[in-house]
Amino acid sequence: MKKKKALLALAGQPNCGKSTVFNALTGASQHVANYPGVTVEKMTGSYRYDGMKVEVVDLPGTYSLTSYSPEERVSRDFLLHEKPSVVVNVADASNLKRHLYLTFQLLEMGVPLVVDLNMMDVAERRGIDIDTQELSRQLGAPVVPTAIKKGRGKKELFKSINSVAGSERSPKPFNVDYGPLEPYLTQIENEFSENGAAFENYPGRWLAIKLVEGDSEAQKLIREHHSTPGKVLEFIENKRQEFESKHNEKPERHIAFSRYKVADTISRSCVKPKAVSTQPLSDRADAIICHKFLGPLILVGVIYLLYYLSIVQGYNVTNYTWPLLAKIRSITESFLPAPGFIDAPLIRSMTLWFVDSINALLNYIPIFFILFGLIAILEDSGYMPRMAFILDRIFNRYGLHGQSTLPMVLGGIYVGGCAVPGVMSCKGIPCERARFATILTIPMLNCLAKVPLYVLLINIYFADYKGPAMFFISTISLLMVLPVAKILTLTVLKNKDTSPFIMEMPPYHIPTIRGVLGRAVERVWLFIRKIITIVAAIAIIIFILLQFPGLSDERKAYYDTEKDRAIAGFYQKIEGNPYAEYVQGENLMALILYWNKYKNAKMMAKGKEAALAINEKFKAENPAFFKIVQPKRDKEAKSVNKAFKKLFSARKKLLREIKKEKIDNSFLGRVGRAMEPYTQYAGFNWRVNVSLLASFAAKESSVATLGALYEQEEEGETLETRMEKGEKGFTPLHALALMLFMVLYPPCVATSIMVKIQTGQIRWMIFSMLFPIVLGTAVATLIFSGGTALELTGLQAMIAFYGLALAITIGMGFLKNKQKTI
Amino acid sequence: MTLDNLRPGSECLVKRLNAHDKLGQRLMDMGVYPGLKMKVIRNAPLEDPMELELDGYYLSIRHEEARFVEVEDR
Ligand SMILES: Nc1nc2c(ncn2[C@@H]2O[C@H](COP(=O)(O)OP(=O)(O)O)[C@@H](O)[C@H]2O)c(=O)[nH]1
Ligand SMILES: [Mg+2]
């Protein structure tokens, strides 16, 4: 009977077009997750063809199937344990020999294989002619030539998959001839045929090959399943040594070498040699793109463009999307209970805080979308490895990696990035130690959310040197990232695995719109799903910490009397006025809300006509209120208007005082105060402490909290003037210490979650939060206490610190990296 | 002679891989094996890493890793 359901795994070496094949097969139905326990991305999708429903899993692209990297282990485990009913091996026709190396390993595992010989168009262009029937005969598996990007061969691929998945026959075994190693393999294989059922899940010859290669995962299998593991492993080790001393070659080398020999023979017999070998276009392009002088210039240009299009232009787009978010807020507001004269219902303030916190993150989505789209272009075009090629020398000196470039750019290597996508893109760094060093230092770069605080402080305390101060803060972060990365590499990360740099420089390709948009959407969606939910939870916690325990009964009574006095005063003033009857009792609060709504509507309205329309609308809603709001020549209405304005600002003042007192009195406020004796050496008073604590949810709130703490005395006073007034003792030195602390501020909640996802461990997340606090406090203390002791001005301290950081960075570059055994 | 000593433009034959474990396996997996002909295409703008052409495709490798590849100049 024909099977109706099938599980398909896509395997192949990097850059063979596997993702493109995946998209061609599954269309729009895709889903990303991680393989359990590792940070390797798992793409799944499904399709239906000719009555067969096929689940597709895109295995990570790997050159081989050893157990040296998590990607290779994941692929291998999937093939062994999930037992897909068909495996499509995507191979690059223009590079058949190297790709056959993986094909053999798949065949050795005994999986039902379809070879998708992709990139036929490229092969043809290069004059490479392949006899696919002959290839199929020699491999004993169907071979389907495709040029999937052009849609060629798609139907044949579908058909071939169905016929393999639908057949019950087990695949024909294919054996590479390992020559002098063959007797050893037979002996080892016999060892488990005696051990029976425990190993029937694993192809005997494959297991024998892996064991003789000295593969650690295969040894683990023996230890777990064999009745006498010690004996078997010893037997195998003896055999390995015997082979090595006899043939002067390690068995694993011999195996790899034999595979290439067979690959060479097969590709010779199936591929007509190229007519003429011309220098490929990609190589000619690289002569410019990787050129000594032009290369770095082009790189800077590309990075600038990436920054300009996503951060600068993306920010402009948020001007159009922000009103949408504001709309969501006002719609939410309309469902909430109305505020009282001085006390808003808890549910109201909490919900609005919640919406504001989420909106602050959602506001970044246009930026992310553009950013992710551009990165997908960089990835698909093949420029990414060139970036790594050009910069590896520098990064390697500091324990980072050529492929740290992109995460650094995203994180905000100058100003204005975001650590979330930065940390997210660290996935591509193959060397574990460098990957961790990159993940841990990216939050020290200047993300967009740190910028408002810099701007605020520079405008007040470095007003005469805005340009140099901005340059200082933009570049100092990199001068701290590099030495810190180096220190981490030499200390906490010194036992992490390193991998060789060896990297393919794939030919350039023109990216497809579909591929780019698909990836951008998918990553934005991942961001929304993973980040927003947790940020929402943290927002609530911070809210509670800022609101509770709230005011004492005594203070509440005090504010109530103040309120009553203000209201009584108002009624007294308008006594006898004909409009007084409209504002009695409940109506007073209604007027306040009406007034607010009117002012807001007026502020949003653009143009004269819109303003007139609003007037008409409000007039129709409540003519008496409208008269009070817009008295024109009506004397009596005017006098009510005047009295009401006074009442209105009295209310505002009360609300502000209450808010401030609540924060003063809140849990977070108490913590801020309790920290003051320690943080005073860094120049932070308790208000600064509170705002720094609250910033943890999202750094942009540092300025917002400061805004709440430095109360507004006159309408429209900017925070700059308020802060200057409120903090008489605050000097440029204080400001500098605060800015540098902000540079070293621990990752925000969203980034912390990303750190957890990318490192796979909570303890690294906690470490990533703790070490910046220590470092930041140390640096801020050095600036403030040191600067005070030496009687430096803010500017002098800035210059001194820059010189120090530069010297340390250069010095660190000369320190030797600890090499792990090769 | 080892690979890291070769200048851009020179061609060579791989004689032996002196690296074990990961680096050796990785070199093999990416198609660097004894008997293979390759060509040094260029060094990176800051000299390190270097780019190689082998069998119609291109690899980059750090000089500190190329040290482990024994070659014969041709
Ligand atoms: N000319 C050509 N390009 C292709 C073909 N298939 C994929 N590509 C391109 O090759 C590049 C790498 O493809 P991708 O699917 O990302 O490869 P992966 O690394 O194996 O997932 C992309 O720019 C594709 O557009 C093909 O059949 N012909
Ligand atoms: Mg891919």
Side-chain angles (χ1 to χ4, degrees), chain A residues 14-15 17-20 58-59 61 380 519:
Chain A
N15 306 310
K18 208 159 51 63
S19 301
T20 317
D58 189 15
L59 299 176
D380 283 2
R519 204 106 44 92

Side-chain angles (χ1 to χ4, degrees), chain A residues 102-301:
Chain A
L102 180 72
T103 309
F104 294 160
Q105 297 184 54
L106 291 166
L107 286 167
E108 274 170 352
M109 293 181 79
V111 294
L113 204 67
V114 173
V115 177
D116 172 3
L117 205 55
N118 194 28
M119 306 256 184
M120 283 303 280
D121 53 326
V122 181
E124 279 158 20
R125 212 167 48 229
R126 294 202 198 150
I128 303 171
D129 190 5
I130 303 178
D131 183 345
T132 51
Q133 275 176 356
E134 176 60 18
L135 184 63
S136 165
R137 198 187 59 77
Q138 295 204 26
L139 294 176
V143 173
V144 186
T146 64
I148 211 76
K149 189 175 161 187
K150 310 235 146 84
R152 248 172 65 191
K154 192 169 146 182
K155 207 164 137 205
E156 289 77 6
L157 187 60
F158 274 129
K159 286 202 172 124
S160 194
I161 290 169
N162 271 19
S163 94
V164 170
S167 88
E168 296 288 342
R169 274 180 308 135
S170 52
K172 256 213 296 228
F174 172 91
N175 292 340
V176 172
D177 181 8
Y178 292 111
L181 198 64
E182 286 294 338
Y184 296 83
L185 291 174
T186 320
Q187 278 178 354
I188 294 172
E189 202 176 333
N190 288 341
E191 282 294 307
F192 348 97
S193 47
E194 290 158 23
N195 222 274
F199 291 98
E200 72 186 7
N201 272 331
Y202 304 98
R205 184 176 163 86
W206 173 80
L207 193 55
I209 293 170
K210 284 291 141 194
L211 285 168
V212 88
E213 276 180 345
D215 185 284
S216 57
E217 294 288 311
Q219 290 169 354
K220 210 167 99 194
L221 271 179
I222 294 291
R223 253 177 260 124
E224 281 164 9
H225 296 299
H226 202 278
S227 50
T228 52
K231 222 179 88 209
V232 180
L233 290 176
E234 199 188 314
F235 173 76
I236 290 164
E237 195 46 43
N238 285 339
K239 289 287 157 198
R240 275 169 56 80
Q241 274 165 17
E242 191 186 312
F243 181 88
E244 194 176 341
S245 58
K246 235 193 206 158
H247 299 273
N248 192 24
E249 195 176 27
K250 284 203 177 281
E252 59 266 34
R253 267 332 130 59
H254 177 79
I255 287 176
F257 186 57
S258 308
R259 285 181 188 143
Y260 278 116
K261 236 169 45 190
V262 178
D264 194 47
T265 318
I266 293 186
S267 75
R268 261 173 218 280
S269 64
C270 304
V271 179
K272 271 218 216 96
K274 308 179 204 181
V276 270
S277 74
T278 51
Q279 190 191 14
L281 213 56
S282 285
D283 188 39
R284 270 181 284 170
D286 270 344
I288 298 167
I289 293 169
C290 298
H291 184 267
K292 240 190 176 61
F293 305 113
L294 289 177
L297 264 173
I298 293 172
L299 180 71
V300 170

Side-chain angles (χ1 to χ4, degrees), chain A residues 431-635:
Chain A
C431 171
E432 190 179 21
R433 188 199 281 169
R435 185 171 65 243
F436 273 68
T438 315
I439 291 173
L440 292 174
T441 47
I442 279 191
M444 294 164 53
L445 292 167
N446 285 324
C447 76
L448 269 174
K450 292 180 182 177
V451 177
L453 183 74
Y454 299 155
V455 172
L456 174 76
L457 293 174
I458 287 177
N459 277 335
I460 308 174
Y461 298 102
F462 294 93
D464 296 340
Y465 316 96
K466 274 186 203 162
M470 208 56 212
F471 176 80
F472 166 81
I473 206 71
S474 310
T475 51
I476 193 76
S477 59
L478 190 62
L479 292 184
M480 297 207 267
V481 162
L482 293 178
V484 168
K486 180 74 170 221
I487 293 168
L488 292 176
T489 311
L490 293 175
T491 56
V492 283
L493 299 176
K494 74 168 183 282
N495 291 325
K496 285 264 164 232
D497 261 359
T498 57
S499 315
F501 175 75
I502 315 168
M503 173 183 77
E504 190 182 353
M505 306 272 267
Y508 291 102
H509 287 283
I510 295 172
T512 57
I513 294 177
R514 198 182 149 194
V516 168
L517 284 185
R519 204 106 44 92
V521 169
E522 181 194 295
R523 288 186 180 158
V524 166
W525 179 232
L526 186 83
F527 171 80
I528 295 178
R529 259 186 11 226
K530 291 239 151 127
I531 304 299
I532 305 272
T533 44
I534 302 181
V535 168
I538 301 280
I540 302 267
I541 293 175
I542 300 255
F543 175 83
I544 291 169
L545 290 178
L546 274 174
Q547 291 295 313
F548 289 91
L551 301 179
S552 66
D553 289 341
E554 200 182 315
R555 296 300 294 165
K556 263 193 207 135
Y558 163 77
Y559 283 116
D560 275 337
T561 3
E562 287 294 298
K563 161 189 145 187
D564 292 342
R565 226 186 29 221
I567 295 176
F570 171 67
Y571 283 132
Q572 204 171 7
K573 265 187 225 145
I574 60 168
E575 217 175 324
N577 192 307
Y579 285 100
E581 65 167 302
Y582 298 110
V583 295
Q584 295 301 324
E586 300 260 294
N587 285 341
L588 180 61
M589 203 53 223
L591 176 60
I592 291 176
L593 296 179
Y594 181 93
W595 179 285
N596 264 337
K597 217 162 92 191
Y598 179 74
K599 295 276 149 171
N600 280 342
K602 262 309 202 2
M603 214 155 68
M604 298 285 279
K606 287 184 199 100
K608 237 188 162 115
E609 262 149 60
L612 278 176
I614 286 170
N615 279 351
E616 286 308 315
K617 194 178 142 227
F618 277 82
K619 202 182 222 162
E621 197 182 310
N622 190 331
F625 281 2
F626 189 75
K627 262 290 184 234
I628 298 174
V629 177
Q630 284 280 9
K632 297 269 160 65
R633 283 183 213 298
D634 185 332
K635 271 235 171 68

